Amino acid sequence: MKTSTMATTKVKSPEQTNNVQESALNELFIDELKDIYWAEKHLSKALPKMAKAATSDELRSAIENHQAETERQIIRLEDAFASIGQKAVAVKCEAMAGLIKEGEEIVAETEKGSITRDAGIISAAQKIEHYEIASYGTLRTLASVLGYEHAAELLDSTLNEEKTCDSLLTQIAEAGINQASKIEKA
């Protein structure tokens, strides 16, 4: 039996710091905060278009309510930045840009006034909500680890709103939109 010898590469350990603000995790946290700040600002511009495209009054109302909530979430993010001594800066979020574009494409590719368009809008909106839930959950955890308790509380509030919105979208879809759209002619 032949034994192979693997080359061993010595991995350099990262430099340590006693200052949280100088840590690599803090830098990651701030980068992710900038990312979601951009995402929320651009979502706030996309939501009115989604609401206008919705056929169902219930869906339109849910989107409009989330639009107002998104505006408050932007302010909450600005407060989170301030609470850690950082200026609120938005850096393009490629994920949200892609999700918004996908939502616009669904609206463009479905018939105006159709319930199928509403099913598509819900699908696009829930993808956005799931991205936000993942982002805010991670950010809240990082804030806690870094000792940014006020930021963690702010981020947790937004996380709970995103989960509530996702649940509402599911209820709207299951209460009739999905069933009605399955018999709509293509």
mmCIF file of all heavy atoms in Angstrom, residues 1-2 7 9 16 19 28 30 45 56 59-60 63 83 89 93-94 98 109 112 122 126 128 138 145 152 177-178:
data_model
loop_
_atom_site.group_PDB
_atom_site.id
_atom_site.type_symbol
_atom_site.label_atom_id
_atom_site.label_comp_id
_atom_site.label_asym_id
_atom_site.label_seq_id
_atom_site.Cartn_x
_atom_site.Cartn_y
_atom_site.Cartn_z
ATOM 1 N N MET A 1 0.836 -1.165 0.000
ATOM 2 C CA MET A 1 0.000 0.000 0.000
ATOM 3 C C MET A 1 0.888 1.237 0.000
ATOM 4 O O MET A 1 1.780 1.379 0.792
ATOM 5 C CB MET A 1 -0.876 -0.052 1.250
ATOM 6 C CG MET A 1 -1.788 1.087 1.374
ATOM 7 S SD MET A 1 -2.696 0.846 2.909
ATOM 8 C CE MET A 1 -4.244 1.377 2.448
ATOM 9 N N LYS A 2 0.569 2.084 -0.928
ATOM 10 C CA LYS A 2 1.360 3.295 -1.095
ATOM 11 C C LYS A 2 0.781 4.399 -0.225
ATOM 12 O O LYS A 2 -0.407 4.627 -0.210
ATOM 13 C CB LYS A 2 1.308 3.696 -2.567
ATOM 14 C CG LYS A 2 2.381 4.625 -2.978
ATOM 15 C CD LYS A 2 2.286 4.814 -4.469
ATOM 16 C CE LYS A 2 3.498 5.560 -4.941
ATOM 17 N NZ LYS A 2 3.463 5.780 -6.352
ATOM 18 N N ALA A 7 1.077 17.865 1.152
ATOM 19 C CA ALA A 7 1.852 19.058 1.525
ATOM 20 C C ALA A 7 1.075 19.799 2.593
ATOM 21 O O ALA A 7 -0.127 19.996 2.476
ATOM 22 C CB ALA A 7 2.066 19.941 0.308
ATOM 23 N N THR A 9 0.340 23.135 4.380
ATOM 24 C CA THR A 9 0.487 24.575 4.256
ATOM 25 C C THR A 9 0.170 25.177 5.601
ATOM 26 O O THR A 9 -0.871 24.898 6.188
ATOM 27 C CB THR A 9 -0.486 25.136 3.192
ATOM 28 O OG1 THR A 9 -0.306 24.410 1.998
ATOM 29 C CG2 THR A 9 -0.271 26.603 2.964
ATOM 30 N N GLN A 16 -4.758 39.613 16.011
ATOM 31 C CA GLN A 16 -5.767 39.822 17.041
ATOM 32 C C GLN A 16 -5.823 41.298 17.440
ATOM 33 O O GLN A 16 -4.834 42.004 17.357
ATOM 34 C CB GLN A 16 -5.450 38.970 18.271
ATOM 35 C CG GLN A 16 -5.418 37.477 17.990
ATOM 36 C CD GLN A 16 -6.766 36.933 17.573
ATOM 37 O OE1 GLN A 16 -7.763 37.145 18.235
ATOM 38 N NE2 GLN A 16 -6.801 36.260 16.442
ATOM 39 N N ASN A 19 -9.774 45.723 20.413
ATOM 40 C CA ASN A 19 -10.744 46.755 20.128
ATOM 41 C C ASN A 19 -11.769 46.232 19.125
ATOM 42 O O ASN A 19 -11.436 45.925 17.991
ATOM 43 C CB ASN A 19 -10.010 47.988 19.569
ATOM 44 C CG ASN A 19 -10.911 49.169 19.388
ATOM 45 O OD1 ASN A 19 -12.140 49.058 19.454
ATOM 46 N ND2 ASN A 19 -10.304 50.315 19.131
ATOM 47 N N LEU A 28 -17.097 43.542 8.756
ATOM 48 C CA LEU A 28 -18.122 42.767 8.050
ATOM 49 C C LEU A 28 -19.512 43.273 8.416
ATOM 50 O O LEU A 28 -20.366 43.465 7.540
ATOM 51 C CB LEU A 28 -17.990 41.277 8.385
ATOM 52 C CG LEU A 28 -19.083 40.372 7.822
ATOM 53 C CD1 LEU A 28 -19.006 40.330 6.291
ATOM 54 C CD2 LEU A 28 -18.949 38.964 8.404
ATOM 55 N N ILE A 30 -20.462 46.242 9.467
ATOM 56 C CA ILE A 30 -20.705 47.556 8.850
ATOM 57 C C ILE A 30 -20.964 47.407 7.357
ATOM 58 O O ILE A 30 -21.879 48.036 6.811
ATOM 59 C CB ILE A 30 -19.545 48.530 9.145
ATOM 60 C CG1 ILE A 30 -19.521 48.857 10.643
ATOM 61 C CG2 ILE A 30 -19.657 49.797 8.310
ATOM 62 C CD1 ILE A 30 -18.275 49.572 11.112
ATOM 63 N N LYS A 45 -38.560 52.423 -3.205
ATOM 64 C CA LYS A 45 -38.933 52.986 -4.514
ATOM 65 C C LYS A 45 -39.679 51.963 -5.374
ATOM 66 O O LYS A 45 -40.475 52.338 -6.234
ATOM 67 C CB LYS A 45 -37.682 53.455 -5.258
ATOM 68 C CG LYS A 45 -36.961 54.593 -4.563
ATOM 69 C CD LYS A 45 -35.644 54.896 -5.246
ATOM 70 C CE LYS A 45 -34.818 55.872 -4.417
ATOM 71 N NZ LYS A 45 -33.447 55.970 -4.876
ATOM 72 N N SER A 56 -55.631 42.690 -6.537
ATOM 73 C CA SER A 56 -56.368 42.518 -5.284
ATOM 74 C C SER A 56 -56.174 43.731 -4.373
ATOM 75 O O SER A 56 -55.052 44.175 -4.145
ATOM 76 C CB SER A 56 -55.868 41.250 -4.587
ATOM 77 O OG SER A 56 -56.046 41.304 -3.202
ATOM 78 N N LEU A 59 -53.980 42.714 -1.391
ATOM 79 C CA LEU A 59 -52.546 42.687 -1.688
ATOM 80 C C LEU A 59 -52.009 44.104 -1.813
ATOM 81 O O LEU A 59 -50.955 44.432 -1.264
ATOM 82 C CB LEU A 59 -52.257 41.887 -2.962
ATOM 83 C CG LEU A 59 -50.790 41.824 -3.396
ATOM 84 C CD1 LEU A 59 -49.909 41.238 -2.292
ATOM 85 C CD2 LEU A 59 -50.655 41.018 -4.692
ATOM 86 N N ARG A 60 -52.731 44.957 -2.507
ATOM 87 C CA ARG A 60 -52.304 46.347 -2.661
ATOM 88 C C ARG A 60 -52.145 47.011 -1.298
ATOM 89 O O ARG A 60 -51.142 47.664 -1.017
ATOM 90 C CB ARG A 60 -53.307 47.131 -3.515
ATOM 91 C CG ARG A 60 -52.871 48.561 -3.805
ATOM 92 C CD ARG A 60 -53.844 49.343 -4.690
ATOM 93 N NE ARG A 60 -54.147 48.626 -5.919
ATOM 94 C CZ ARG A 60 -55.312 47.992 -6.164
ATOM 95 N NH1 ARG A 60 -56.276 48.007 -5.260
ATOM 96 N NH2 ARG A 60 -55.510 47.361 -7.299
ATOM 97 N N ILE A 63 -49.040 45.746 0.554
ATOM 98 C CA ILE A 63 -47.804 46.325 0.004
ATOM 99 C C ILE A 63 -47.667 47.782 0.430
ATOM 100 O O ILE A 63 -46.579 48.232 0.799
ATOM 101 C CB ILE A 63 -47.753 46.167 -1.531
ATOM 102 C CG1 ILE A 63 -47.664 44.684 -1.910
ATOM 103 C CG2 ILE A 63 -46.567 46.939 -2.115
ATOM 104 C CD1 ILE A 63 -47.872 44.403 -3.394
ATOM 105 N N SER A 83 -25.853 54.564 16.376
ATOM 106 C CA SER A 83 -25.612 53.941 17.684
ATOM 107 C C SER A 83 -24.238 53.295 17.793
ATOM 108 O O SER A 83 -23.741 53.070 18.891
ATOM 109 C CB SER A 83 -26.703 52.908 17.999
ATOM 110 O OG SER A 83 -26.504 51.708 17.281
ATOM 111 N N VAL A 89 -24.337 54.939 5.318
ATOM 112 C CA VAL A 89 -23.879 54.934 3.930
ATOM 113 C C VAL A 89 -24.480 53.715 3.242
ATOM 114 O O VAL A 89 -24.473 52.615 3.798
ATOM 115 C CB VAL A 89 -22.332 54.864 3.859
ATOM 116 C CG1 VAL A 89 -21.850 54.733 2.424
ATOM 117 C CG2 VAL A 89 -21.712 56.075 4.531
ATOM 118 N N CYS A 93 -26.526 46.782 -3.144
ATOM 119 C CA CYS A 93 -26.821 45.402 -2.782
ATOM 120 C C CYS A 93 -27.241 44.671 -4.052
ATOM 121 O O CYS A 93 -28.351 44.846 -4.545
ATOM 122 C CB CYS A 93 -27.938 45.370 -1.741
ATOM 123 S SG CYS A 93 -28.510 43.717 -1.358
ATOM 124 N N GLU A 94 -26.347 43.875 -4.591
ATOM 125 C CA GLU A 94 -26.615 43.165 -5.841
ATOM 126 C C GLU A 94 -27.793 42.203 -5.695
ATOM 127 O O GLU A 94 -28.579 42.033 -6.624
ATOM 128 C CB GLU A 94 -25.369 42.415 -6.314
ATOM 129 C CG GLU A 94 -24.199 43.313 -6.691
ATOM 130 C CD GLU A 94 -24.447 44.202 -7.907
ATOM 131 O OE1 GLU A 94 -25.355 43.914 -8.717
ATOM 132 O OE2 GLU A 94 -23.741 45.213 -8.036
ATOM 133 N N GLY A 98 -31.210 42.467 -7.918
ATOM 134 C CA GLY A 98 -31.695 41.341 -8.713
ATOM 135 C C GLY A 98 -33.122 40.954 -8.362
ATOM 136 O O GLY A 98 -33.934 40.665 -9.246
ATOM 137 N N GLU A 109 -44.470 40.611 -17.427
ATOM 138 C CA GLU A 109 -44.795 39.382 -18.169
ATOM 139 C C GLU A 109 -46.174 38.808 -17.845
ATOM 140 O O GLU A 109 -46.559 37.795 -18.414
ATOM 141 C CB GLU A 109 -43.722 38.325 -17.911
ATOM 142 C CG GLU A 109 -42.366 38.720 -18.486
ATOM 143 C CD GLU A 109 -41.227 37.826 -18.022
ATOM 144 O OE1 GLU A 109 -41.475 36.854 -17.275
ATOM 145 O OE2 GLU A 109 -40.081 38.115 -18.406
ATOM 146 N N LYS A 112 -52.146 42.573 -17.074
ATOM 147 C CA LYS A 112 -52.693 43.596 -16.176
ATOM 148 C C LYS A 112 -54.099 43.177 -15.752
ATOM 149 O O LYS A 112 -54.896 42.717 -16.564
ATOM 150 C CB LYS A 112 -52.730 44.942 -16.888
ATOM 151 C CG LYS A 112 -53.235 46.063 -16.028
ATOM 152 C CD LYS A 112 -53.224 47.391 -16.761
ATOM 153 C CE LYS A 112 -53.758 48.477 -15.845
ATOM 154 N NZ LYS A 112 -53.754 49.777 -16.471
ATOM 155 N N ILE A 122 -46.760 38.310 -5.250
ATOM 156 C CA ILE A 122 -46.545 37.693 -3.938
ATOM 157 C C ILE A 122 -45.267 36.868 -3.958
ATOM 158 O O ILE A 122 -44.457 36.928 -3.023
ATOM 159 C CB ILE A 122 -47.763 36.838 -3.515
ATOM 160 C CG1 ILE A 122 -48.946 37.747 -3.205
ATOM 161 C CG2 ILE A 122 -47.410 35.954 -2.312
ATOM 162 C CD1 ILE A 122 -50.256 37.014 -2.989
ATOM 163 N N GLN A 126 -42.206 37.741 -1.550
ATOM 164 C CA GLN A 126 -41.739 36.806 -0.531
ATOM 165 C C GLN A 126 -40.258 36.481 -0.700
ATOM 166 O O GLN A 126 -39.557 36.291 0.292
ATOM 167 C CB GLN A 126 -42.587 35.539 -0.514
ATOM 168 C CG GLN A 126 -43.933 35.817 0.135
ATOM 169 C CD GLN A 126 -44.678 34.575 0.520
ATOM 170 O OE1 GLN A 126 -45.115 33.826 -0.338
ATOM 171 N NE2 GLN A 126 -44.823 34.367 1.822
ATOM 172 N N ILE A 128 -38.105 38.635 -1.645
ATOM 173 C CA ILE A 128 -37.491 39.810 -1.029
ATOM 174 C C ILE A 128 -37.549 39.698 0.492
ATOM 175 O O ILE A 128 -36.554 39.934 1.174
ATOM 176 C CB ILE A 128 -38.177 41.107 -1.537
ATOM 177 C CG1 ILE A 128 -37.800 41.355 -2.999
ATOM 178 C CG2 ILE A 128 -37.814 42.302 -0.654
ATOM 179 C CD1 ILE A 128 -38.625 42.420 -3.693
ATOM 180 N N THR A 138 -28.977 37.786 10.580
ATOM 181 C CA THR A 138 -27.516 37.789 10.673
ATOM 182 C C THR A 138 -27.015 39.071 11.324
ATOM 183 O O THR A 138 -26.172 39.035 12.226
ATOM 184 C CB THR A 138 -26.896 37.622 9.278
ATOM 185 O OG1 THR A 138 -27.322 36.370 8.731
ATOM 186 C CG2 THR A 138 -25.385 37.684 9.322
ATOM 187 N N VAL A 145 -23.068 39.969 19.164
ATOM 188 C CA VAL A 145 -21.713 39.461 19.398
ATOM 189 C C VAL A 145 -20.731 40.612 19.597
ATOM 190 O O VAL A 145 -19.841 40.547 20.443
ATOM 191 C CB VAL A 145 -21.261 38.550 18.224
ATOM 192 C CG1 VAL A 145 -19.770 38.256 18.282
ATOM 193 C CG2 VAL A 145 -22.064 37.257 18.217
ATOM 194 N N ALA A 152 -28.684 45.910 17.978
ATOM 195 C CA ALA A 152 -29.305 44.582 17.935
ATOM 196 C C ALA A 152 -30.814 44.684 18.157
ATOM 197 O O ALA A 152 -31.598 44.018 17.469
ATOM 198 C CB ALA A 152 -28.666 43.657 18.965
ATOM 199 N N ILE A 177 -55.892 33.815 -3.718
ATOM 200 C CA ILE A 177 -55.186 34.237 -4.931
ATOM 201 C C ILE A 177 -54.592 33.040 -5.672
ATOM 202 O O ILE A 177 -54.764 32.913 -6.888
ATOM 203 C CB ILE A 177 -54.114 35.300 -4.607
ATOM 204 C CG1 ILE A 177 -54.817 36.623 -4.291
ATOM 205 C CG2 ILE A 177 -53.114 35.460 -5.755
ATOM 206 C CD1 ILE A 177 -53.923 37.749 -3.893
ATOM 207 N N ASN A 178 -53.935 32.154 -4.975
ATOM 208 C CA ASN A 178 -53.335 31.003 -5.658
ATOM 209 C C ASN A 178 -54.392 30.121 -6.297
ATOM 210 O O ASN A 178 -54.233 29.672 -7.440
ATOM 211 C CB ASN A 178 -52.473 30.187 -4.691
ATOM 212 C CG ASN A 178 -51.180 30.907 -4.325
ATOM 213 O OD1 ASN A 178 -50.808 31.902 -4.929
ATOM 214 N ND2 ASN A 178 -50.510 30.398 -3.304
#
